Amino acid sequence: MNIGIYIYDDAEVLDFSGPFEVFSTAKRLANNDWQVSLIAESNTPVMARGGFSVNPHYSFADHPQIDLLIVVGGVHSHELEKPNVINWIRETAASATKVASVCTGAFLLAKAGLLDDLTVTTHWEDQSDLADMFPALTVISNKRWLSQGKFTTSGGISAGIDMSLQLVAELISPEHAELTAKQMEYQWHKNV
């Protein structure tokens, strides 16, 4: 299974590094064939928030088929204005089994028309903006993540770790998700 995490300039560091850690730890503990990759528009380094420089594994042009696509948040406004990015998200999501967003990554999924008529969430600070920009969405504030069909959205930053553990529970088992959280010494905040 190929897990692709889309990163871009000014992406929130924990939005991509948290899920990367969850899925790579789950892979190691299961000794399975998951490939966890960071994907950017090009093969050049990405300058994430706080000046954190990251080398993507793949670009839009050379990544493998993606089974689970994760779109992260951060300063996302420039990404919304890039037709190449929005089209890539739309096309990649169409063939993926699961699609998820962390934080304001939901704006990018919404711009691609993927979340229409769904109930979603994002960072608490951006929920009203998401609802205003995309009136076809129902934006809620009382869940750290929310799944509908193949789409899962999460709140901000650390909520992406919780959402990723939930995806591990769905893809492998709840017990493996608990083991992954324990290995990470992370207290999993589950939706109740």
Side-chain angles (χ1 to χ4, degrees), residues 114-179:
L114 299 171
L115 301 180
D116 289 355
D117 302 319
L118 298 182
T119 301
V120 300
T121 195
T122 189
H123 190 281
W124 62 267
E125 197 172 41
D126 301 287
Q127 289 167 354
S128 60
D129 288 343
L130 183 63
D132 290 346
M133 283 182 71
F134 302 100
L137 312 183
T138 300
V139 182
I140 63 166
S141 61
N142 60 347
K143 298 281 187 188
R144 285 182 69 77
W145 74 87
L146 186 69
S147 292
Q148 286 198 301
K150 75 177 195 177
F151 296 97
T152 303
T153 57
S154 77
I157 311 177
S158 68
I161 297 173
D162 297 322
M163 175 194 73
S164 297
L165 287 164
Q166 176 60 35
L167 290 169
V168 169
E170 294 170 17
L171 294 166
I172 299 179
S173 71
E175 295 77 18
H176 196 76
E178 293 283 2
L179 178 63

Side-chain angles (χ1 to χ4, degrees), residues 36-99:
V36 187
S37 305
L38 300 174
I39 300 171
E41 192 172 3
S42 69
N43 282 318
T44 58
V46 168
M47 192 61 67
R49 300 273 318 250
F52 190 93
S53 183
V54 185
N55 293 315
H57 297 97
Y58 297 105
S59 72
F60 288 178
D62 63 5
H63 67 80
Q65 172 70 32
I66 296 173
D67 302 299
L68 167 56
L69 172 64
I70 301 173
V71 178
V72 303
V75 182
H76 61 280
S77 53
H78 294 301
E79 300 304 299
L80 291 173
E81 299 168 3
K82 296 179 178 177
N84 186 44
V85 169
I86 300 305
N87 289 335
W88 177 83
I89 290 171
R90 184 183 302 112
E91 291 166 8
T92 304
S95 60
T97 305
K98 288 185 178 288
V99 179

